[in-house]
Amino acid sequence: MANDLFNSFMTGPDEKGRFGQFGGRFVSETLMPLILDLEAEYEKAKTDDSFWAEMDDLWTHYVGRPSPMYFAERLTTHLGGAKIYMKRDELNHTGAHKINNVLGQILLARRMGKKRIIAETGAGQHGVATATVCARFGLQCVVYMGAHDVERQAPNVFRMKLLGAKVVPVTSGRGTLKDAMNDALRDWVTNVRDTFYCIGTVAGPHPYPAMVRDFQSIIGKEAKAQLQEREGRLPDTIIAAIGGGSNAMGLFYPFLDDKEVNIIGVEAGGKGVNAKMEHCASLTGGRPGVLHGNRTYLLQDDDGQILEGFSISAGLDYPGIGPEHSWLHDIGRARYVSITDTEALEAFQLCCEQEGIIPALEPSHALAHVMKIAPDLPADHLICMNMCGRGDKDIFTVAKALGVEMDAGG
Amino acid sequence: MTRIDQTFERLTAAGQKAFVSYVMAGDPDYETSLELVKGLPDAGVDIIELGLPFTDPMADGETIQLAGQRALAGGMTLDRTLELTRTFRATDQTTPIVLMGYYNPIFSRGVDTFLTQARDAGIDGLIIVDLPPEEDDELCLPTQKAGLNFIRLATPTTDDNRLPTVLQNTSGFVYYVSITGITGAAAAQSSDVAPDVARLKAATDLPVIVGFGIRTPENAKDIASVADGCVVGSAIVSELASGKPVAEVLDFVRSLADGAHSAEIRIA
């Protein structure tokens, strides 16, 4: 890692949308003019006080920000090591961090005069957030969701429908997040003139990775200020789960130049990071490639064909990762580890029992890594993990994994 | 001068429009696909677009998505696609083959290695859907340097400001995507396409070929009459997918080619 004091990790992406070799704009010509328009509109909005004033107002009164910084006292005692804080983004309106970004993109869509919003969703959290904000602003909303995910995330599908969105089950491929993104891109290319594609993570063609990161950075900015107030200093370690990586990028970004802060991203290890690819750990088990508009680490075979990932968590079930994470991985500024389904389930249960918080399966992965490292760290070591979503949507999946029979209708 | 340039020279001399056909390499299996490709020139195809299968074809409709899945399930790879081209080339040294697909399988192979292998196999040009001019350093410029054509897509969203950028590093011909949408979608009418083609022709000396959504000999004739030729893909792939023998699929291709070739020269 470069130690030059003047070398900032926060200057990316460059004018080509690259973080080192990662990122870029690998899209068809039909979309390219719109992507350039979006970039120009975002650049204008970024420095427009009225844009951020509107965001702040909605964040405060609609989403409920700032989210609390919670000292997980019983978990800390139970693990007997580092002091554990949770950034409670699961308390946001709609139950996850996703809405932070959706608000920003919908305000941009309004500025661009787009009346129709499309989105892809895995666990359904981004779909719910998009449907919510579209309802709030009276915009038409279409959500693409893998057929397999529609099945395992039924409560979120119903939520989206209640909010007036049209949910399109995607049957191509294996019917997960990757396939939903393909179909959303097909819709976009067909309806490019009136449609805004609200991407849910820090991936896709430039400017999406940077734009989504900027909208999610509210997490890290608040965390920094809150820990300063509570502890009078920076955390020693920050930890977040990664599918595409938006909650992680949001937490990490404001800390990138605080070189004393350890940054750990937790990928979904599924059944274990082995040769059979029954996991979604792109950085641990993949190599650089080009998919969905950007170059990044991907799960792929020797012939460059994309592999289907595997995870108990629908929100992490994606064979790629945001390009900025790939860059942070390669330059060594952040460390990336993986957690298996079994470990995540253990963390899920421990969090319920010790803290009275039912976490989503996604942050359960981050928590599982906290459980691994906290016991060996001193009591004055501050860990901040991002509790990026609540687990109501996951109780059926967890019940099934634990062998509990539950009647979804009852 | 590439085989593509030579083909257009021949067509211009004969006062004829070009008929370009797309088929997916390895669909539904290597042998059937090779038999089909080998039969295309005699069915009247001037340029063959050969699909390189990819798991995530974001610009393609269901017909070509499924064709790619069948090919991959049948064990089709980049190496086998090059082998198919090489086998074709052994008996046909004049019909151009343009490889059409997505960037990742090529990036995965390594651009320089791929270009050497593609040229040796007898591929004449590339159409790579997810590489806009903004990414020309990746593959477009190395392809031109290797002596192959890099054929660019222009679309209804390519406005006058952007057109020079799109045309700048393109060669062989310009592929005009007649609709905003994916392959296999509804056809545009020649009356809609004509002004766009005229706009492109005013900005380039390259032939302009129109594709997306052309399904019948009548469409082919209609669209070819306002451009330098037309492309048919999904409609041919559908015929093959319906289980028809290769000879019958080639009969259909011949009817499309006859349609395109019967178009009168109307362009100034």
Side-chain angles (χ1 to χ4, degrees), chain A residues 229-272:
Chain A
E229 197 186 314
R230 299 283 292 273
E231 296 283 346
R233 66 181 182 92
L234 290 169
D236 297 293
T237 300
I238 56 177
I239 300 184
I242 296 184
S246 71
N247 91 82
M249 212 55 239
L251 177 65
F252 296 172
Y253 187 66
F255 291 99
L256 289 181
D257 284 346
D258 299 307
K259 291 170 193 172
E260 64 274 36
V261 177
N262 295 307
I263 299 179
I264 303 175
V266 184
E267 296 193 286
K271 294 178 183 171

mmCIF file of all heavy atoms in Angstrom, chain A residues 229-272:
data_model
loop_
_atom_site.group_PDB
_atom_site.id
_atom_site.type_symbol
_atom_site.label_atom_id
_atom_site.label_comp_id
_atom_site.label_asym_id
_atom_site.label_seq_id
_atom_site.Cartn_x
_atom_site.Cartn_y
_atom_site.Cartn_z
ATOM 1 N N GLU A 229 -18.025 11.355 18.598
ATOM 2 C CA GLU A 229 -18.787 11.859 19.740
ATOM 3 C C GLU A 229 -18.796 10.851 20.899
ATOM 4 O O GLU A 229 -18.621 11.209 22.048
ATOM 5 C CB GLU A 229 -20.223 12.145 19.275
ATOM 6 C CG GLU A 229 -21.002 13.047 20.216
ATOM 7 C CD GLU A 229 -22.460 13.167 19.767
ATOM 8 O OE1 GLU A 229 -22.699 13.373 18.557
ATOM 9 O OE2 GLU A 229 -23.349 13.034 20.637
ATOM 10 N N ARG A 230 -18.997 9.575 20.569
ATOM 11 C CA ARG A 230 -19.093 8.545 21.596
ATOM 12 C C ARG A 230 -17.741 8.174 22.195
ATOM 13 O O ARG A 230 -17.623 7.948 23.397
ATOM 14 C CB ARG A 230 -19.718 7.264 21.006
ATOM 15 C CG ARG A 230 -21.127 7.417 20.464
ATOM 16 C CD ARG A 230 -22.152 7.471 21.570
ATOM 17 N NE ARG A 230 -22.287 6.198 22.266
ATOM 18 C CZ ARG A 230 -23.083 5.216 21.883
ATOM 19 N NH1 ARG A 230 -23.810 5.345 20.791
ATOM 20 N NH2 ARG A 230 -23.171 4.107 22.585
ATOM 21 N N GLU A 231 -16.725 8.052 21.354
ATOM 22 C CA GLU A 231 -15.437 7.513 21.792
ATOM 23 C C GLU A 231 -14.291 8.508 21.663
ATOM 24 O O GLU A 231 -13.172 8.225 22.093
ATOM 25 C CB GLU A 231 -15.090 6.256 20.969
ATOM 26 C CG GLU A 231 -16.064 5.104 21.165
ATOM 27 C CD GLU A 231 -15.832 4.362 22.489
ATOM 28 O OE1 GLU A 231 -14.764 4.579 23.110
ATOM 29 O OE2 GLU A 231 -16.719 3.598 22.914
ATOM 30 N N GLY A 232 -14.568 9.617 21.016
ATOM 31 C CA GLY A 232 -13.532 10.634 20.836
ATOM 32 C C GLY A 232 -12.447 10.224 19.865
ATOM 33 O O GLY A 232 -11.359 10.800 19.847
ATOM 34 N N ARG A 233 -12.726 9.210 19.055
ATOM 35 C CA ARG A 233 -11.693 8.814 18.076
ATOM 36 C C ARG A 233 -12.287 7.985 16.933
ATOM 37 O O ARG A 233 -13.478 7.697 16.901
ATOM 38 C CB ARG A 233 -10.596 8.022 18.765
ATOM 39 C CG ARG A 233 -11.033 6.664 19.318
ATOM 40 C CD ARG A 233 -9.819 6.022 19.997
ATOM 41 N NE ARG A 233 -10.084 4.708 20.538
ATOM 42 C CZ ARG A 233 -9.879 3.582 19.864
ATOM 43 N NH1 ARG A 233 -9.465 3.618 18.604
ATOM 44 N NH2 ARG A 233 -10.108 2.406 20.442
ATOM 45 N N LEU A 234 -11.395 7.625 16.021
ATOM 46 C CA LEU A 234 -11.794 6.785 14.886
ATOM 47 C C LEU A 234 -11.904 5.332 15.345
ATOM 48 O O LEU A 234 -11.256 4.936 16.320
ATOM 49 C CB LEU A 234 -10.721 6.865 13.787
ATOM 50 C CG LEU A 234 -10.579 8.184 13.033
ATOM 51 C CD1 LEU A 234 -9.294 8.159 12.197
ATOM 52 C CD2 LEU A 234 -11.784 8.422 12.134
ATOM 53 N N PRO A 235 -12.688 4.528 14.659
ATOM 54 C CA PRO A 235 -12.704 3.094 14.958
ATOM 55 C C PRO A 235 -11.383 2.466 14.520
ATOM 56 O O PRO A 235 -10.672 3.038 13.695
ATOM 57 C CB PRO A 235 -13.854 2.569 14.109
ATOM 58 C CG PRO A 235 -13.958 3.527 12.964
ATOM 59 C CD PRO A 235 -13.558 4.861 13.510
ATOM 60 N N ASP A 236 -11.052 1.303 15.077
ATOM 61 C CA ASP A 236 -9.842 0.599 14.638
ATOM 62 C C ASP A 236 -10.147 -0.279 13.424
ATOM 63 O O ASP A 236 -9.300 -0.466 12.567
ATOM 64 C CB ASP A 236 -9.301 -0.272 15.773
ATOM 65 C CG ASP A 236 -8.886 0.578 16.961
ATOM 66 O OD1 ASP A 236 -7.913 1.342 16.807
ATOM 67 O OD2 ASP A 236 -9.559 0.511 18.015
ATOM 68 N N THR A 237 -11.365 -0.819 13.418
ATOM 69 C CA THR A 237 -11.746 -1.714 12.323
ATOM 70 C C THR A 237 -13.182 -1.414 11.903
ATOM 71 O O THR A 237 -14.055 -1.269 12.768
ATOM 72 C CB THR A 237 -11.656 -3.191 12.785
ATOM 73 O OG1 THR A 237 -10.310 -3.470 13.189
ATOM 74 C CG2 THR A 237 -12.043 -4.147 11.660
ATOM 75 N N ILE A 238 -13.410 -1.335 10.596
ATOM 76 C CA ILE A 238 -14.788 -1.229 10.102
ATOM 77 C C ILE A 238 -15.057 -2.432 9.201
ATOM 78 O O ILE A 238 -14.181 -2.870 8.447
ATOM 79 C CB ILE A 238 -15.061 0.110 9.372
ATOM 80 C CG1 ILE A 238 -14.091 0.325 8.217
ATOM 81 C CG2 ILE A 238 -14.975 1.282 10.353
ATOM 82 C CD1 ILE A 238 -14.372 1.609 7.416
ATOM 83 N N ILE A 239 -16.266 -2.973 9.333
ATOM 84 C CA ILE A 239 -16.593 -4.234 8.657
ATOM 85 C C ILE A 239 -17.977 -4.141 8.019
ATOM 86 O O ILE A 239 -18.927 -3.678 8.653
ATOM 87 C CB ILE A 239 -16.594 -5.415 9.656
ATOM 88 C CG1 ILE A 239 -15.209 -5.565 10.298
ATOM 89 C CG2 ILE A 239 -17.015 -6.719 8.987
ATOM 90 C CD1 ILE A 239 -15.072 -6.751 11.229
ATOM 91 N N ALA A 240 -18.081 -4.616 6.791
ATOM 92 C CA ALA A 240 -19.395 -4.653 6.136
ATOM 93 C C ALA A 240 -19.466 -5.832 5.172
ATOM 94 O O ALA A 240 -18.444 -6.297 4.658
ATOM 95 C CB ALA A 240 -19.643 -3.344 5.372
ATOM 96 N N ALA A 241 -20.682 -6.302 4.959
ATOM 97 C CA ALA A 241 -20.916 -7.399 4.019
ATOM 98 C C ALA A 241 -20.922 -6.868 2.591
ATOM 99 O O ALA A 241 -21.240 -5.709 2.357
ATOM 100 C CB ALA A 241 -22.259 -8.058 4.302
ATOM 101 N N ILE A 242 -20.587 -7.747 1.646
ATOM 102 C CA ILE A 242 -20.507 -7.334 0.242
ATOM 103 C C ILE A 242 -21.176 -8.318 -0.697
ATOM 104 O O ILE A 242 -20.847 -9.502 -0.701
ATOM 105 C CB ILE A 242 -19.032 -7.184 -0.186
ATOM 106 C CG1 ILE A 242 -18.388 -6.076 0.617
ATOM 107 C CG2 ILE A 242 -18.941 -6.887 -1.677
ATOM 108 C CD1 ILE A 242 -16.988 -5.782 0.214
ATOM 109 N N GLY A 243 -22.151 -7.807 -1.467
ATOM 110 C CA GLY A 243 -22.650 -8.543 -2.625
ATOM 111 C C GLY A 243 -22.100 -7.770 -3.797
ATOM 112 O O GLY A 243 -21.006 -8.015 -4.288
ATOM 113 N N GLY A 244 -22.826 -6.719 -4.211
ATOM 114 C CA GLY A 244 -22.270 -5.741 -5.136
ATOM 115 C C GLY A 244 -21.363 -4.789 -4.363
ATOM 116 O O GLY A 244 -20.369 -4.304 -4.872
ATOM 117 N N GLY A 245 -21.753 -4.515 -3.109
ATOM 118 C CA GLY A 245 -20.863 -3.766 -2.235
ATOM 119 C C GLY A 245 -21.283 -2.345 -1.907
ATOM 120 O O GLY A 245 -20.437 -1.526 -1.545
ATOM 121 N N SER A 246 -22.588 -2.025 -1.968
ATOM 122 C CA SER A 246 -22.960 -0.621 -1.760
ATOM 123 C C SER A 246 -22.968 -0.209 -0.293
ATOM 124 O O SER A 246 -22.539 0.895 0.038
ATOM 125 C CB SER A 246 -24.307 -0.303 -2.410
ATOM 126 O OG SER A 246 -25.395 -0.888 -1.736
ATOM 127 N N ASN A 247 -23.429 -1.092 0.611
ATOM 128 C CA ASN A 247 -23.409 -0.674 2.018
ATOM 129 C C ASN A 247 -21.969 -0.582 2.498
ATOM 130 O O ASN A 247 -21.613 0.308 3.276
ATOM 131 C CB ASN A 247 -24.273 -1.621 2.875
ATOM 132 C CG ASN A 247 -23.515 -2.796 3.469
ATOM 133 O OD1 ASN A 247 -22.859 -2.658 4.490
ATOM 134 N ND2 ASN A 247 -23.588 -3.959 2.829
ATOM 135 N N ALA A 248 -21.123 -1.482 1.989
ATOM 136 C CA ALA A 248 -19.708 -1.478 2.380
ATOM 137 C C ALA A 248 -19.008 -0.223 1.853
ATOM 138 O O ALA A 248 -18.302 0.467 2.588
ATOM 139 C CB ALA A 248 -19.020 -2.728 1.853
ATOM 140 N N MET A 249 -19.252 0.097 0.588
ATOM 141 C CA MET A 249 -18.600 1.275 0.009
ATOM 142 C C MET A 249 -19.055 2.532 0.744
ATOM 143 O O MET A 249 -18.270 3.444 0.978
ATOM 144 C CB MET A 249 -18.966 1.352 -1.480
ATOM 145 C CG MET A 249 -17.888 1.940 -2.358
ATOM 146 S SD MET A 249 -16.295 1.134 -2.227
ATOM 147 C CE MET A 249 -15.333 2.549 -1.691
ATOM 148 N N GLY A 250 -20.359 2.556 1.134
ATOM 149 C CA GLY A 250 -20.891 3.696 1.866
ATOM 150 C C GLY A 250 -20.229 3.867 3.216
ATOM 151 O O GLY A 250 -19.936 4.987 3.646
ATOM 152 N N LEU A 251 -19.961 2.775 3.895
ATOM 153 C CA LEU A 251 -19.269 2.855 5.187
ATOM 154 C C LEU A 251 -17.784 3.160 4.987
ATOM 155 O O LEU A 251 -17.210 3.990 5.676
ATOM 156 C CB LEU A 251 -19.425 1.529 5.958
ATOM 157 C CG LEU A 251 -18.686 1.449 7.294
ATOM 158 C CD1 LEU A 251 -19.246 2.457 8.312
ATOM 159 C CD2 LEU A 251 -18.734 0.039 7.886
ATOM 160 N N PHE A 252 -17.162 2.484 4.009
ATOM 161 C CA PHE A 252 -15.706 2.574 3.860
ATOM 162 C C PHE A 252 -15.231 3.938 3.351
ATOM 163 O O PHE A 252 -14.207 4.450 3.800
ATOM 164 C CB PHE A 252 -15.189 1.521 2.857
ATOM 165 C CG PHE A 252 -15.394 0.082 3.259
ATOM 166 C CD1 PHE A 252 -15.127 -0.955 2.360
ATOM 167 C CD2 PHE A 252 -15.843 -0.256 4.535
ATOM 168 C CE1 PHE A 252 -15.306 -2.285 2.721
ATOM 169 C CE2 PHE A 252 -16.032 -1.590 4.900
ATOM 170 C CZ PHE A 252 -15.763 -2.604 3.983
ATOM 171 N N TYR A 253 -15.945 4.489 2.373
ATOM 172 C CA TYR A 253 -15.407 5.614 1.604
ATOM 173 C C TYR A 253 -14.889 6.766 2.476
ATOM 174 O O TYR A 253 -13.744 7.200 2.293
ATOM 175 C CB TYR A 253 -16.435 6.097 0.582
ATOM 176 C CG TYR A 253 -15.888 7.145 -0.355
ATOM 177 C CD1 TYR A 253 -14.880 6.833 -1.263
ATOM 178 C CD2 TYR A 253 -16.378 8.446 -0.330
ATOM 179 C CE1 TYR A 253 -14.370 7.797 -2.123
ATOM 180 C CE2 TYR A 253 -15.873 9.411 -1.196
ATOM 181 C CZ TYR A 253 -14.872 9.090 -2.084
ATOM 182 O OH TYR A 253 -14.356 10.044 -2.928
ATOM 183 N N PRO A 254 -15.665 7.265 3.450
ATOM 184 C CA PRO A 254 -15.157 8.389 4.236
ATOM 185 C C PRO A 254 -13.950 8.034 5.117
ATOM 186 O O PRO A 254 -13.297 8.917 5.652
ATOM 187 C CB PRO A 254 -16.369 8.773 5.109
ATOM 188 C CG PRO A 254 -17.556 8.256 4.355
ATOM 189 C CD PRO A 254 -17.084 6.981 3.747
ATOM 190 N N PHE A 255 -13.649 6.731 5.245
ATOM 191 C CA PHE A 255 -12.498 6.306 6.053
ATOM 192 C C PHE A 255 -11.269 5.940 5.218
ATOM 193 O O PHE A 255 -10.233 5.566 5.773
ATOM 194 C CB PHE A 255 -12.876 5.079 6.898
ATOM 195 C CG PHE A 255 -13.863 5.362 8.009
ATOM 196 C CD1 PHE A 255 -15.213 5.074 7.842
ATOM 197 C CD2 PHE A 255 -13.440 5.900 9.221
ATOM 198 C CE1 PHE A 255 -16.130 5.315 8.855
ATOM 199 C CE2 PHE A 255 -14.351 6.146 10.244
ATOM 200 C CZ PHE A 255 -15.697 5.862 10.070
ATOM 201 N N LEU A 256 -11.367 6.025 3.888
ATOM 202 C CA LEU A 256 -10.280 5.509 3.048
ATOM 203 C C LEU A 256 -8.937 6.177 3.333
ATOM 204 O O LEU A 256 -7.896 5.524 3.293
ATOM 205 C CB LEU A 256 -10.624 5.658 1.557
ATOM 206 C CG LEU A 256 -11.712 4.735 0.996
ATOM 207 C CD1 LEU A 256 -11.900 4.990 -0.495
ATOM 208 C CD2 LEU A 256 -11.397 3.274 1.245
ATOM 209 N N ASP A 257 -8.970 7.483 3.614
ATOM 210 C CA ASP A 257 -7.708 8.182 3.859
ATOM 211 C C ASP A 257 -7.289 8.167 5.325
ATOM 212 O O ASP A 257 -6.241 8.716 5.679
ATOM 213 C CB ASP A 257 -7.787 9.625 3.334
ATOM 214 C CG ASP A 257 -7.660 9.674 1.808
ATOM 215 O OD1 ASP A 257 -7.260 8.652 1.208
ATOM 216 O OD2 ASP A 257 -7.956 10.727 1.222
ATOM 217 N N ASP A 258 -8.092 7.551 6.179
ATOM 218 C CA ASP A 258 -7.687 7.363 7.584
ATOM 219 C C ASP A 258 -6.947 6.031 7.655
ATOM 220 O O ASP A 258 -7.528 4.985 7.936
ATOM 221 C CB ASP A 258 -8.916 7.347 8.494
ATOM 222 C CG ASP A 258 -9.692 8.661 8.423
ATOM 223 O OD1 ASP A 258 -9.053 9.718 8.614
ATOM 224 O OD2 ASP A 258 -10.905 8.624 8.151
ATOM 225 N N LYS A 259 -5.642 6.107 7.365
ATOM 226 C CA LYS A 259 -4.918 4.864 7.085
ATOM 227 C C LYS A 259 -4.761 3.949 8.291
ATOM 228 O O LYS A 259 -4.425 2.766 8.146
ATOM 229 C CB LYS A 259 -3.578 5.198 6.431
ATOM 230 C CG LYS A 259 -3.827 5.756 5.025
ATOM 231 C CD LYS A 259 -2.612 6.352 4.361
ATOM 232 C CE LYS A 259 -3.086 7.142 3.140
ATOM 233 N NZ LYS A 259 -2.028 7.918 2.514
ATOM 234 N N GLU A 260 -5.035 4.507 9.492
ATOM 235 C CA GLU A 260 -4.950 3.646 10.666
ATOM 236 C C GLU A 260 -6.198 2.781 10.857
ATOM 237 O O GLU A 260 -6.227 1.895 11.695
ATOM 238 C CB GLU A 260 -4.673 4.482 11.934
ATOM 239 C CG GLU A 260 -5.779 5.479 12.317
ATOM 240 C CD GLU A 260 -5.680 6.846 11.618
ATOM 241 O OE1 GLU A 260 -5.273 6.891 10.439
ATOM 242 O OE2 GLU A 260 -6.019 7.856 12.257
ATOM 243 N N VAL A 261 -7.241 3.050 10.057
ATOM 244 C CA VAL A 261 -8.479 2.267 10.177
ATOM 245 C C VAL A 261 -8.399 1.024 9.280
ATOM 246 O O VAL A 261 -8.174 1.128 8.076
ATOM 247 C CB VAL A 261 -9.717 3.119 9.773
ATOM 248 C CG1 VAL A 261 -10.997 2.286 9.836
ATOM 249 C CG2 VAL A 261 -9.824 4.345 10.673
ATOM 250 N N ASN A 262 -8.553 -0.155 9.916
ATOM 251 C CA ASN A 262 -8.595 -1.405 9.133
ATOM 252 C C ASN A 262 -9.956 -1.509 8.464
ATOM 253 O O ASN A 262 -10.986 -1.338 9.121
ATOM 254 C CB ASN A 262 -8.468 -2.637 10.039
ATOM 255 C CG ASN A 262 -7.132 -2.702 10.708
ATOM 256 O OD1 ASN A 262 -6.109 -2.639 10.037
ATOM 257 N ND2 ASN A 262 -7.128 -2.828 12.025
ATOM 258 N N ILE A 263 -9.942 -1.834 7.199
ATOM 259 C CA ILE A 263 -11.202 -1.954 6.462
ATOM 260 C C ILE A 263 -11.354 -3.402 5.990
ATOM 261 O O ILE A 263 -10.464 -3.943 5.325
ATOM 262 C CB ILE A 263 -11.209 -0.990 5.254
ATOM 263 C CG1 ILE A 263 -11.087 0.455 5.744
ATOM 264 C CG2 ILE A 263 -12.459 -1.186 4.410
ATOM 265 C CD1 ILE A 263 -11.057 1.499 4.643
ATOM 266 N N ILE A 264 -12.471 -4.006 6.364
ATOM 267 C CA ILE A 264 -12.689 -5.415 6.004
ATOM 268 C C ILE A 264 -14.042 -5.585 5.319
ATOM 269 O O ILE A 264 -15.091 -5.231 5.866
ATOM 270 C CB ILE A 264 -12.632 -6.338 7.240
ATOM 271 C CG1 ILE A 264 -11.291 -6.179 7.970
ATOM 272 C CG2 ILE A 264 -12.851 -7.805 6.835
ATOM 273 C CD1 ILE A 264 -11.190 -6.966 9.264
ATOM 274 N N GLY A 265 -14.017 -6.135 4.133
ATOM 275 C CA GLY A 265 -15.238 -6.472 3.402
ATOM 276 C C GLY A 265 -15.470 -7.973 3.495
ATOM 277 O O GLY A 265 -14.525 -8.758 3.403
ATOM 278 N N VAL A 266 -16.724 -8.350 3.708
ATOM 279 C CA VAL A 266 -17.032 -9.768 3.898
ATOM 280 C C VAL A 266 -17.898 -10.268 2.740
ATOM 281 O O VAL A 266 -19.034 -9.837 2.565
ATOM 282 C CB VAL A 266 -17.767 -10.001 5.241
ATOM 283 C CG1 VAL A 266 -17.994 -11.494 5.459
ATOM 284 C CG2 VAL A 266 -16.973 -9.396 6.397
ATOM 285 N N GLU A 267 -17.336 -11.174 1.972
ATOM 286 C CA GLU A 267 -18.075 -11.752 0.845
ATOM 287 C C GLU A 267 -18.818 -13.007 1.282
ATOM 288 O O GLU A 267 -18.504 -13.614 2.309
ATOM 289 C CB GLU A 267 -17.104 -12.105 -0.286
ATOM 290 C CG GLU A 267 -16.401 -10.898 -0.890
ATOM 291 C CD GLU A 267 -15.704 -11.253 -2.194
ATOM 292 O OE1 GLU A 267 -14.649 -11.923 -2.151
ATOM 293 O OE2 GLU A 267 -16.220 -10.882 -3.246
ATOM 294 N N ALA A 268 -19.789 -13.393 0.452
ATOM 295 C CA ALA A 268 -20.596 -14.569 0.764
ATOM 296 C C ALA A 268 -19.862 -15.830 0.340
ATOM 297 O O ALA A 268 -19.648 -16.067 -0.846
ATOM 298 C CB ALA A 268 -21.934 -14.478 0.049
ATOM 299 N N GLY A 269 -19.482 -16.635 1.319
ATOM 300 C CA GLY A 269 -18.732 -17.860 1.027
ATOM 301 C C GLY A 269 -19.624 -19.040 0.680
ATOM 302 O O GLY A 269 -19.121 -20.114 0.353
ATOM 303 N N GLY A 270 -20.941 -18.859 0.750
ATOM 304 C CA GLY A 270 -21.870 -19.939 0.388
ATOM 305 C C GLY A 270 -21.551 -21.216 1.123
ATOM 306 O O GLY A 270 -21.448 -21.246 2.346
ATOM 307 N N LYS A 271 -21.347 -22.286 0.350
ATOM 308 C CA LYS A 271 -21.011 -23.580 0.954
ATOM 309 C C LYS A 271 -19.505 -23.716 1.202
ATOM 310 O O LYS A 271 -19.030 -24.766 1.611
ATOM 311 C CB LYS A 271 -21.496 -24.708 0.048
ATOM 312 C CG LYS A 271 -23.019 -24.768 -0.052
ATOM 313 C CD LYS A 271 -23.469 -25.870 -0.989
ATOM 314 C CE LYS A 271 -25.000 -25.848 -1.105
ATOM 315 N NZ LYS A 271 -25.473 -26.767 -2.159
ATOM 316 N N GLY A 272 -18.764 -22.634 0.923
ATOM 317 C CA GLY A 272 -17.310 -22.663 1.097
ATOM 318 C C GLY A 272 -16.640 -22.296 -0.207
ATOM 319 O O GLY A 272 -17.098 -22.680 -1.271
#
